[in-house]
Amino acid sequence: MSTNRLNSPAELAALKQRLEKNRNANKTVVTVCAGTGCMACGCEAVLKTFHEERKKDRLENEVEIKATGCHGFCERGPLVVVHPSGVFYQRVKPADAKLIWEQTVKGGQLVNKLLYRDPQSNEIIKHEKDIPFYKRQMRIIFGKNGFMDPTAINDYILLGGYLALATALTKMTSEQIIGDVKKSGLRGRGGGGFLTGKKWATCRAVKVDPKYVICNADEGDPGAFMDRSLLEGNPHQVIEGMIIGAYAIGSHEGFVYVRNEYPLAVKNLTVAIKAARDYGLLGENILGTGFNFDIVISRGGGAFVCGESTALMASLEGKVGEPRAKYIHTVESGLWDKPSNLNNVETWANVPLIIERGADWFASIGTENSKGTKVFALTGRVNNTGLVEVPMGITLREILYDIGGGAPRGKRFKAVQTGGPSGGMLIVEEAQPKSHGSPVAHGDIRNENEAVNLLDLPVDFDELTRVGSMMGSGGMIVMDEDSCMVDVARYFIHFLTEESCGKCLPCREGLVTMLSVLRKISAGKGTMEDIKYLEELSQVIIDTSLCQLGGSAPNPVLSALRYFRQEFLAHVVDKRCPAGVCKDLVSHAIDNTCNGCHACLKSCPTSAIVGEPKRLHYVIQDKCIQCGACYQICRYNSIKRVKRGEGDKLQERAREQWRPPLKKVTAEVS
Amino acid sequence: MTVAVDTKYDLQSKIEEIVGEYGAKSTALIMILQDVQRQYRYLPEEALRAVAKTMKLPLAQIYGVATFYRSFTLKPKGRNHICVCTGTACHVRQAVVIVDKLERDLGITAGETTADGEVSLETVNCLGACALGPLVTANGIYYGNMTVTKVDKMMSEVLHKTYDSETTEEAA
Amino acid sequence: MDKVKIKIDGQQMEVDDGTYVLEAAKSISIEIPTLCYYPYMVPYAACRICSVEARSASGWSKIVTACNYPVWNGLEILTNTPRVINARRTNLEMLMASCAPVPVLQHLAEQLGITEPRWGTDKHTCILCGLCVRICDEIVGAHALAFVDRGANRDVSTPFQLDSESCILCGACAKHCPTGYIKMEEIEKRFIVHQEMNLSPNAAITLPFRQAVPNVPQIVRENCIHFKTGGCMVCSKVCPKDCIDYEDSPKSEEVEVGAVVIATGFDSFDPTPMKQYGYGKYPNVISSEEFEVMNNAAGPTGGKIVMENGEEPRAIAILHCIGSRDHDYHKYCSRVCCMYSLKFSHLVKEKTSAEVYQLYIDMRSFGKGYEEFYGRILDEGVNVIRGKAAEVVPSGYRQHEEGHLIVRCEDTLIGKYREIPVDMVILSTALEARRDAKEFGRKFNISTGADGWFIEAHPKLAPVSTTTEGIFLAGACQGAKDIPDAVAQGGAAAAQAMKLMAQGEVMMDAAYAVIDEAFCSGCKMCNDMCPYTAISFDDAKKVSVVNSALCKGCGTCVAACPAGAIMARHFTDEQIYAQIEGILA
């Protein structure tokens, strides 16, 4: 794109009109999700196949093939949606691509085996909008992903992109823009949940130049990939938000600090920035209004702590990512001691919507103190994993069951973890569990004093904080009965000890101490004193840590103790891990449902399993190193993780009760 | 691409080229070091000294940055690079079992390189493909839904494709 | 600056807005413990030991670090609530769990009531307070140290753990390290006896010497950080009277005087070339001057006489005539050494229970009370051995010898070879003329003798004057002497100088040179030739002028002047011709 500079809002509007006119609404468009998740599933080969087929049939002018951003339903990738019919194909392999080409694109027929089949109702659903995963969402931000090639700025403009910018620059004053953002009630989507409008107003009021505008794309929470998908799929919306924000605050220089582990996001963002510059939407004299603003991309070096605003700014300055006290806010003195306004990717992406559709519209979504939608990365032990965008106030129940499609392999939900390592584990176990028959079922231990489950908790900033977790950046990890809360707490603390910058004492030394205590408990050597230590230490770490990495580090432990105290007591008092995870406290043993399929024997690294094909197998307890390979591989749920030392007892009983299978048993398909 | 470091003159001019691309701004230090590491597969001492000299920054600052961030390594990595994702979602899907298996098979712990320099094993925090957990990348190629039995197949693919490793892109 | 009202531990006070709590508290004498705080740097707030509780009127309260929390109107600070004490105590216990029980931590532990740290202690001495790195970065500006790695692996190091090329050896990091993890290492081979002999190896601000006049400190440029990196300047921040001027430089002033008294003193002989005594090789062989410094109550050991390892010596040998009365060094006797050696033995006997050995050639106790003092020393039990020491060797040479050093000598009174085991050897070194005496004397047109001492006009009758009028000598520069003699000579020189000034009239030789201005071309040849520096150049008139008070009438300039412009009075050419004619007649 050469001199296509748009010198005024009128030219932008004219371009949009031209694009609309030229667009054939009936033209077939094959959209293939090309986010990192689907890339990892092989969508590139699918794209290649489509291109090859199109070339073979010489249908370049009739059929458009678009590689789009993330569609959200990562569990079912690679995803292909054919427009204008909106037919949704999932789990598409390259060979399937050929079928789609022949049958749907050319033939107008459906390929049934690739359509979505609802696992609960067994219904086949053809269109994206009817799929329960999507139906219950409110995709005001992510909705655009499916229709845009992120590297084509015209696609964005066609969908109304940059019109909000034009309005803001020409028809609104800075105060009006800030007023709108304030009225909308938008709160920071990175985890802090601070009122965005208030932050902008404070920054604007500081009479120091220059001012900086920063986009925090360091998304370090494990299990969170909303920001990545947003930058990969719709970078222009983030850019637009930043320009509007810069105009409101009075800044001319912006930075996007992206994690180094997101190469596709960096690539697409780079392309988008260049395209915006070419169009005169970035750089000098934006849209002929005289406002100058440009964005520089800066990559991170691999440090979770750089998601913290002052550490991010230190990293931008070319130093190590050490945070500093925030007694003086970064909006007053931040990057190079100048006023710096830092917001999360998703926060910036909300801004053009607020300007375009109005603050009142935005404030009509969500709860009283948490407006708008939130994008969550729903992952873990749930059927439908992926990115979901829901209005604030939706309950956990709706997310887990209606959108998430329930727990896979017939297991029971146990906990939902929100907010990453800074958040907490929330109990979502059903009050009356279906009987599972397993001697290590979670149902054996329950904390009677707390609410039995938080399934009906409305998800918003304040509610999540009230129950001992936090919204965080949007990671939502679902755990079932096979997850041990002691192990998960230990996991998070271990993660934080690796990511701690080491500057302040309580985080650096305190987390290491907490980790050693949790490891002790996990190894069956814990005492009641240890649980007391954890609680005491947690309070001091929260009180005296320099930044929120340390300050919120004890949250997973405290929330686990709050909702799953009995599980801790089982480890400490009974020396037993009810979920069967903590290696030193379990023994792997085979019960009488064994099919004799030999799979576990082949997977065992120490040859601890013996058995004849089609006969009952058993685990030699002395040789077993509890690696869990057999548990992973068994399709009949025959491997049981019992309390250490009770393996032989189980296997003796199994020997008495086992009968050879009478007919071929169909395995439970997950 | 070679693991051995260039002659002093070649190194200096290479460093100047890389620094020049970013305008020698201290904001770009991390990106400059990443490019240097991509060039040499690790950060040699001479390269860090050259960066300090070219950017006119104290060597102590460069060294501090190079040891702080996890994307940098001061020791050469193996010819093949295996990353196991240990993000929460993958952990919950038993990624630890995969790590154990790889550690056992390779005879090293995560973060180390085998003695013959062939394979280095690393754990990383969340590659963002949580639906595919447990996830392993080998030389940039994603292997999703890993199980213990799939590990052997992956390793044989990786080791036999050794001659191809220069053409595959790094994912991280 | 606006003032705000705050309350600390119940005490109301008014401070500038934005002051940090720690400073505000200090100004009303409330001490808050710190580990990583240094007043002249940006507060780091890493140790969290200065935690205090901040409360607002609305009832909100939280724990903050006092070193970097800025005050605001209505703030209330509590420095020792149970929550605060618990926070400090737990943090300290966690720190102790990974550090060695160094004094600074133990002291703090006592203050906070920790007797048994719950998680034990470890061996690591660095507490990661960051003072060294920050001082090197912020104040010194050398950037030689950095934090490396992160989290529990965080450490302080130079790049690649090698000696840093940027280090300017200022020692600031070692000085401020609270645990002694960083030490300054002597990288030269020479043992400096008792490291503290100098104020500290690299002190940049020192008193030239204890009795300096004026008795004010000065900045030593070679060691000062500011002159190496442009940074620091902490001294000027501290000085309450603003006395520090970095631009100050030695100024030269021109003063016109009629008389000069030269009292430039002496140098001490450096015994290093005398390898047999091991000076500079063995740690406890010291010179007399070094012993004087050590003995001084204001000195580095507080007046205690100790060996290099800090222990009291069991026996000391004092060797006379080191460099004096020696064919290879100085043939003369330095006059003062015998008496001060006796003084040393008296001091040693007074302060320690060591045996003292005096190895002498002759005991020169010539003055008032000197011989009596010698007798007293003998009564104190000092062993005097007549025989110059031949060699000092380290002990261990033979099995049964005790002590650290052996002094070998011939005791000529009993006619036997002796080996005396001692712990310390004091060398009574010779007094020498100042090394630059010859050059210095040339400026005043006075000469030095073969030994380097300045030559007086007459050794018996004019010991304070020189051959140059108006230049007088006083003190050791004229020859080794002790204090009473030097004082007497000083008085004499002063009197002579005053005589010149009080005279009003100066009687001088009738024969002196006169320059005829009309013929003088201003070539200045005569200025340099005059051995009495009696001719100077008048810049205004552009001619040379003879100072008739200084001129001795030698006639050199008369002969040298190319224009014949100089005439010797009473010795003109006409007068000489007339005399010749008279003789020949």
Side-chain angles (χ1 to χ4, degrees), chain A residues 242-265:
Chain A
M242 285 180 77
I243 309 174
I244 296 173
Y247 176 69
I249 290 165
S251 156
H252 303 283
E253 264 182 83
F255 292 91
V256 179
Y257 185 89
V258 192
R259 265 184 101 187
N260 186 45
E261 289 87 335
Y262 288 170
L264 186 58

Side-chain angles (χ1 to χ4, degrees), chain C residues 295-323:
Chain C
N295 173 64
N296 193 315
T301 61
K304 287 215 262 295
I305 297 171
V306 288
M307 297 192 289
E308 203 221 5
N309 59 9
E311 284 171 19
E312 234 188 49
R314 294 164 293 178
I316 299 183
I318 305 176
L319 276 47
H320 292 219
C321 304
I322 304 297

Side-chain angles (χ1 to χ4, degrees), chain A residues 302-303 322 325 327-328 498-506 508-510 512-513 533 536-537 540 543-546, chain C residues 44-48 51 63-65 68-70 83 86-87 90-91 94-95 98 118-119 127-128 150-152 154:
Chain A
E322 271 180 23
Y327 303 138
I328 300 175
E498 300 224 316
E499 295 297 335
S500 164
C501 77
K503 173 172 172 177
C504 77
L505 213 164
R508 181 182 75 230
E509 310 287 347
V512 166
T513 313
Y533 274 168
E536 206 188 292
L537 209 45
V540 173
D543 269 349
T544 55
S545 284
L546 192 146
Chain C
Y44 198 50
C47 69
R48 318 310 278 177
S51 294
I63 302 273
V64 300
T65 40
N68 66 352
Y69 190 74
R83 188 173 166 200
N86 185 43
T90 314
N91 270 310
M94 291 197 285
L95 182 60
S98 62
R118 262 182 293 187
W119 298 291
I127 58 170
L128 290 173
R150 67 184 192 204
R154 184 163 151 117

Side-chain angles (χ1 to χ4, degrees), chain A residues 159-417:
Chain A
L159 292 169
Y162 288 111
L163 287 178
L165 174 66
T167 311
L169 288 181
T170 54
K171 300 211 184 75
M172 297 172 81
T173 61
S174 310
E175 283 72 23
Q176 281 173 326
I177 297 174
I178 295 180
D180 262 11
V181 174
K182 270 188 174 162
K183 202 155 73 137
S184 73
L186 175 66
R187 287 170 74 164
R189 295 290 192 254
F194 194 79
L195 284 163
T196 311
K198 193 163 162 203
K199 189 186 252 189
W200 288 17
T202 317
C203 193
R204 177 169 178 75
V206 179
K207 300 268 176 281
V208 176
D209 270 324
K211 295 188 187 160
Y212 299 107
V213 149
I214 304 177
C215 174
N216 186 347
D218 192 58
E219 201 171 52
D221 284 357
F225 50 101
M226 309 76 53
D227 293 346
R228 188 206 68 208
S229 303
L230 202 42
L231 281 176
E232 286 174 358
N234 192 356
H236 283 287
Q237 190 152 334
V238 179
I239 294 172
E240 190 180 354
M242 285 180 77
I243 309 174
I244 296 173
Y247 176 69
I249 290 165
S251 156
H252 303 283
E253 264 182 83
F255 292 91
V256 179
Y257 185 89
V258 192
R259 265 184 101 187
N260 186 45
E261 289 87 335
Y262 288 170
L264 186 58
V266 174
K267 179 158 147 246
N268 289 358
L269 187 62
T270 311
V271 169
I273 289 178
K274 183 164 182 306
R277 275 201 205 115
D278 286 340
Y279 270 28
L281 295 161
L282 266 182
E284 305 213 343
N285 197 11
I286 294 176
L287 283 179
T289 58
F291 177 62
N292 305 334
F293 178 69
D294 210 340
I295 296 179
V296 167
I297 300 179
S298 191
R299 297 196 306 261
F304 172 73
V305 70
C306 287
E308 200 272 344
S309 58
T310 55
L312 192 154
M313 292 181 201
S315 187
L316 264 178
E317 290 178 17
K319 305 192 189 122
V320 297
E322 271 180 23
R324 61 153 180 81
K326 286 219 246 217
Y327 303 138
I328 300 175
H329 298 291
T330 51
V331 284
E332 289 173 49
S333 172
L335 191 59
W336 294 299
D337 295 328
K338 301 286 181 214
S340 310
N341 184 82
L342 180 138
N343 278 120
N344 173 266
V345 171
E346 202 182 323
T347 315
W348 287 120
N350 272 293
V351 170
L353 292 176
I354 294 172
I355 303 297
E356 188 187 359
R357 292 162 78 167
D360 290 330
W361 162 82
F362 193 84
S364 69
I365 307 168
T367 65
E368 188 179 336
N369 287 324
S370 305
K371 300 291 183 196
T373 61
K374 178 80 189 81
V375 182
F376 288 103
L378 186 64
T379 58
R381 308 293 200 128
V382 68
N383 269 323
N384 299 334
T385 59
L387 291 171
V388 304
E389 187 178 348
V390 290
M392 297 278 194
I394 191 173
T395 61
L396 282 175
R397 188 188 292 278
E398 285 176 78
I399 297 178
L400 290 176
Y401 288 105
D402 300 335
I403 300 176
R409 294 169 92 182
K411 304 270 183 179
R412 284 201 315 276
F413 283 137
K414 182 164 168 181
V416 162
Q417 212 276 346

Side-chain angles (χ1 to χ4, degrees), chain C residues 174 183-203 206 210 223 280 282-286 290 293-294 299-302 304 306-311 424:
Chain C
K183 292 200 189 23
M184 286 290 280
E185 207 179 68
E186 188 79 30
I187 47 180
E188 289 168 341
K189 286 290 179 217
R190 162 144 197 226
F191 296 145
I192 294 183
V193 177
H194 311 314
Q195 290 276 349
E196 324 84 71
M197 280 294 179
N198 309 309
L199 221 41
S200 79
N202 296 312
T206 59
R210 296 266 154 206
N223 297 337
Y282 308 128
N284 287 309
V285 175
I286 60 179
E290 287 171 340
V293 174
M294 176 163 59
T301 61
K304 287 215 262 295
V306 288
M307 297 192 289
E308 203 221 5
N309 59 9
E311 284 171 19
M424 189 192 279

Side-chain angles (χ1 to χ4, degrees), chain C residues 31-273:
Chain C
E31 289 294 323
I32 299 173
T34 61
L35 273 179
C36 70
Y37 177 72
Y38 181 64
Y40 306 106
M41 290 197 295
V42 175
Y44 198 50
C47 69
R48 318 310 278 177
I49 296 294
C50 65
S51 294
V52 292
E53 197 169 326
R55 280 197 197 158
S56 79
S58 58
W60 135 139
S61 87
K62 71 173 178 181
I63 302 273
V64 300
T65 40
C67 61
N68 66 352
Y69 190 74
V71 300
W72 38 267
N73 206 20
L75 170 69
E76 184 184 353
I77 295 286
L78 296 158
T79 67
N80 46 20
T81 61
R83 188 173 166 200
V84 165
I85 300 291
N86 185 43
R88 291 186 199 155
R89 186 188 295 132
T90 314
N91 270 310
L92 188 62
E93 276 184 294
M94 291 197 285
L95 182 60
M96 292 178 87
S98 62
C99 291
V102 284
V104 66
L105 292 182
Q106 281 187 329
H107 178 69
L108 210 48
E110 272 172 53
Q111 272 185 339
L112 293 169
I114 301 175
T115 42
E116 274 292 322
R118 262 182 293 187
W119 298 291
T121 56
D122 205 325
K123 294 195 206 61
H124 210 44
T125 333
C126 174
I127 58 170
L128 290 173
C129 64
L131 281 168
C132 52
V133 179
R134 289 150 53 211
I135 281 189
C136 195
D137 276 344
E138 279 176 55
I139 292 190
V140 176
H143 309 291
L145 292 168
F147 281 116
V148 297
D149 215 328
R150 67 184 192 204
N153 296 333
R154 184 163 151 117
D155 204 354
V156 167
S157 165
T158 52
F160 309 104
Q161 287 80 46
L162 300 169
D163 285 344
S164 165
E165 285 137 22
S166 332
C167 174
I168 61 169
L169 304 169
C170 67
C173 54
K175 177 151 187 240
H176 290 282
C177 176
T179 63
Y181 180 63
I182 300 187
K183 292 200 189 23
M184 286 290 280
E185 207 179 68
E186 188 79 30
I187 47 180
E188 289 168 341
K189 286 290 179 217
R190 162 144 197 226
F191 296 145
I192 294 183
V193 177
H194 311 314
Q195 290 276 349
E196 324 84 71
M197 280 294 179
N198 309 309
L199 221 41
S200 79
N202 296 312
I205 300 185
T206 59
L207 276 175
F209 47 93
R210 296 266 154 206
Q211 287 82 26
V213 170
N215 205 271
V216 292
Q218 66 182 16
I219 294 177
V220 179
R221 244 173 224 253
E222 303 80 64
N223 297 337
C224 172
I225 294 171
H226 179 70
F227 290 104
K228 289 194 203 180
T229 67
C232 195
M233 294 177 53
V234 172
C235 54
S236 58
K237 291 184 200 149
V238 184
C239 180
K241 295 240 179 82
D242 225 2
C243 304
I244 315 249
D245 178 10
Y246 298 101
E247 312 300 314
D248 213 1
S249 51
K251 294 189 200 52
S252 46
E253 260 186 58
E254 256 186 48
V255 181
E256 249 189 59
V257 293
V260 176
V261 177
I262 297 181
T264 50
F266 66 93
D267 270 345
S268 273
F269 172 72
D270 178 10
T272 312

Side-chain angles (χ1 to χ4, degrees), chain B residues 43-56:
Chain B
L43 289 174
E45 180 182 327
E46 302 86 341
L48 289 177
R49 287 182 190 273
V51 170
K53 192 164 123 201
T54 314
M55 292 182 76
K56 297 202 187 25

